[in-house]
Amino acid sequence: MVVTTPEALSPPDRGIRWFLSNQTSWSRAVLASGIAVLVFYIVGVISVLTSFGWSGTCPEGVTRLECSPSDPLAEGLKSDGLGLVARIALVVGLLIIAAAVASWRRMPNKSAREAVISGGVLAVQAVALAGFLLWFRGTDIDRFARNFLNISLIGQKTGIAWDTVSGSMGSVAGLMATWAAVTAALVGVYAWLRKAGLRLVVYSTLIAAGAGLLWGLIRLASVPSFVKGAQNTLVLSAAGAALGFSLGLLLAVFAMSNRAVVRAPARIYINFFRGTPLIWQIMFAGVGFVPALRLDLDMYTIAILVLGLNLAAYSSEVYRAGIQSLERGQIEASRTLGLSYFQSMRYVIVPQAIRRVIPPLLNEFVILIKDTSLVSVLGLTVAQKELLGIGRDIYSSSFDATAWLGAAAGYLIITLPMIGVVTIVERRLRSGLTSVIG
Amino acid sequence: MNEDGTLVRLEGIHKWFDTLHVLRGIDQKIVPQEVVVLIGPSGSGKSTLLRTINVLEEPTEGKVFFDGMDLTDIRTNLNEARTHMGMVFQQFNLFPHLTATENITLALIKVLKLSKQEALERAHSQLRHVGLSDKTDSYPSQLSGGQQQRVAIARSLAMRPKLMLFDEVTSALDPELVGEVLNVMQELAAEGMTMVVVTHEMGFAREVGTRLLFMDEGIIVEEGDPTHVLTNPEHARTQSFLSQVL
C-alpha cells in the first residue's frame, strides 16, 4: 500500500468569529445582557453625574462649609436619577446572574458555556458596583465630597498654566529637538557599529522626542505642584536606580565569590539593607548620620544615596539569582577556552543573566518609584518635594483631602506605563527571542 | 611535551566529592597522536577523570602534567594552559547569545588576542572544516543538536589545541545525528590530533581508538588495544559491562 502524506493544512479558525458562530440564541442573549447591564450602569452613572457637573465654582471668600466646588458632584450622587440607574442595574443584574447560574451547564458546546459564564460574571460586576453605590448614597455624601472629591483642586495644583503654555512652546520644542538629535546620533552610531536595523534608531528617537516634550512641559510647572512633585519622584527614582542597579551588580559578583573574605562584607551589606526598613535608613542617614558627621550633603542627595544603596541590596539578589540560573556548563565552557573568571563573567555569564533579570529588575524599579514617597520624612525644600510630599503640603494648606487623590493619580501615571513595559518585555523574552531589542 | 615525551601525565590522582571517593589512584601517560577511549559504567569516574586533565575538577591528591607544565602547581597559569586543550561537552555548552561565528571568535580575540579579521577567517575556515559554512551567522537555538555539537568542536579546534577532550559528546543527540559528529571526530583523529574520548559508542572506540581504558569504581580496571579488549576482555567486571552494552 502506498501511503501519501496529506497536505499540510492551515490551522482551523478558533478566533472570535468561530466563538460567535458556536452560540445558541440563549447563550448569545445572556452574554449580550451581561455586557448591556454593565455598560448601562457605567454610562448611566457618568451621564447623570455629568448632567449635574463634576465640579463648580464658589463665590470668593465663602468658607467650604457653605460652598464647595464639589457641590454639583454631591448633588449628582444624591440625585434620584442616579438611584434609579443603580436600582435598575441591581435588579436586571440579579436576573441575569440567576439565568446564567441555572443554564451554564446545559450549553451544548464550550463557546456557548463560556459566553453564559462571561455574561453572568459581567452581571456580578454590575450588581457589585450598583450595590456599592446604593450603600454609598446612604452615607453623608456632602461631607465626603467636600473632603475628597474636589476634583478642581487637582487641576489647580498641576502647576501648569495651560492658557500661557503656548508662549513657552519654543523652549519645549528646543528641548525635544535636542533630546531627539542626541539620541539619534548615539543610537545611530551604535546601530552602525553593530549593524543593527534602522528601526531601533527611529523608535528610540521618537521615544526621546516624546520624553523631551514631557520634560519640557514638566520644566514649565510652578512650585509647589503635582507636576513638580512628579518630576522629583522621577529624578529620585532614576538617580537611585542608576546607583542601585550598578552597585547591585558589583555586590552580586562579590556575594558569589569563592572567598569567604570577599563574600562576607557583601552579605553583611545586603542583609543589613534588606533587614532594616527603608524609612529607618532614610531617617538615620538624614537626621542622624549625615548631620552628626557634619557631612556637607543636602537632603536631596542623601535621599538619592539611601534609595540607591537600598536598591543595590535588593537588585544584587536579583542579579545573583539570574547568574546562578545559568547552566554550570556555560562557565565551564568559557574557562575551558582559557577565558579568566572575570572575562567569563564579562563576556559569557553577565550578558545572558542580564536578559533573564530585566523583568524582575524593572519590578524593583517600580517598587523604587513608590518608595521615593518615604523621603518625605526628610526636611526637603518645597522645590525638592516629591508627589506624596506635595500631596501632604496641599492637604495641610487647604484641608482638602482630594490632594491625596492627586498624589495617587501622579504615581499611577508614572507606574502604569512602567508596568506595561514590564509586561511587554516579559512576553518578548518568553516568546523565545533572546534579545529585548531587535 | 613533558620531559618524558608524553603530552599528559597523571600521577596518583585521587578525587573526593565530600566523602565520596570518585577517583582512587590513577596513573596514566598519554603520548602525542594517541586516541584514548575511556569507557565504563555510569558513576565509574570517567568524566571526572577527563575533567581533571584540564583541571575543571581539581584532584584532591596527585599531579597533572601537561606539555611540560604541572597544572596542579598553584603558580601555573591555568588559563594559558587551557588554551592548548580543547574540550567538548555532552550538553554542547555553546553561548546562546552569540552566533556560531562569535562563539568561535570570542576566545580567539579575548584570549589569543588575534585581530578581528584573523579571528573571523579562522572561525569561518573551522566552520567549513566541520561542514557548517552556511551556518556562520546562526544562533545556537537555530541549529540542530548535531550542528551545535559540531560548532562546539570547531570552537575548540580554532584555538589550535594540542589535545582534545570529548565528554560523551554524542549522548545528548538524537540517534540520526550521532553519525555526523562521530565523522568529524574520526577525521580529526586521522589528522593526528591527540584525543581523550569518554563515550558509549563502542563502534567508534574500536575503529578510531588507539588505546582503550575501562574504568570502574574510580580505578582503571583494564586497558589495551580497543579491538582486543572489546573482544577478549580479561577482567570479570569488563566482561559483565561489555555483555550489557554490546
Side-chain angles (χ1 to χ4, degrees), chain A residues 12 75 99 119 122 178 182 206 214 221 249 251 255 289 296 350 354 357 380 389 438:
Chain A
E75 289 306 315
L122 289 171
T178 315
V182 170
L206 283 176
L214 268 178
L249 182 57
L251 269 177
F289 196 67
D296 187 20
V350 170
I354 288 286
V357 299
L380 293 175

Side-chain angles (χ1 to χ4, degrees), chain B residues 56-75:
Chain B
L56 272 187
E57 301 291 355
E58 200 179 337
T60 320
E61 278 176 17
K63 283 185 178 299
V64 179
F65 293 92
F66 170 77
D67 198 24
M69 292 174 276
D70 179 358
L71 300 188
T72 38
D73 184 332
I74 193 73
R75 290 161 295 187

Side-chain angles (χ1 to χ4, degrees), chain A residues 332-339, chain B residues 79 82-83 85 87 95 103-104 106-107 111 155-156 159:
Chain A
E332 287 182 350
S334 173
R335 297 306 302 276
T336 302
L337 289 166
L339 280 90
Chain B
N79 294 333
R82 282 176 177 150
T83 62
M85 286 187 273
M87 184 167 194
F95 307 134
N103 261 280
I104 299 173
L106 176 65
V111 181
R155 178 172 70 177
S156 287
M159 303 291 286

Side-chain angles (χ1 to χ4, degrees), chain A residues 271-293:
Chain A
N271 289 340
F272 174 77
F273 276 94
R274 293 200 313 162
T276 52
L278 177 55
I279 194 165
W280 179 89
Q281 292 159 17
I282 291 170
M283 282 169 61
F284 185 73
V287 190
F289 196 67
V290 172
L293 292 181

Side-chain angles (χ1 to χ4, degrees), chain A residues 290-348:
Chain A
V290 172
L293 292 181
R294 298 178 198 282
L295 297 177
D296 187 20
L297 293 173
D298 78 324
M299 288 295 175
Y300 205 69
T301 316
I302 295 172
I304 289 172
L305 287 176
V306 177
L307 289 170
L309 295 177
N310 181 275
L311 180 68
Y314 283 94
S315 64
S316 80
E317 293 291 83
V318 172
Y319 284 120
R320 193 168 64 88
I323 288 171
Q324 288 178 340
S325 75
L326 294 175
E327 304 77 44
R328 242 198 108 54
Q330 289 293 316
I331 186 116
E332 287 182 350
S334 173
R335 297 306 302 276
T336 302
L337 289 166
L339 280 90
S340 69
Y341 176 78
F342 275 98
Q343 283 179 320
S344 303
M345 280 287 159
R346 163 80 182 76
Y347 299 111
V348 176

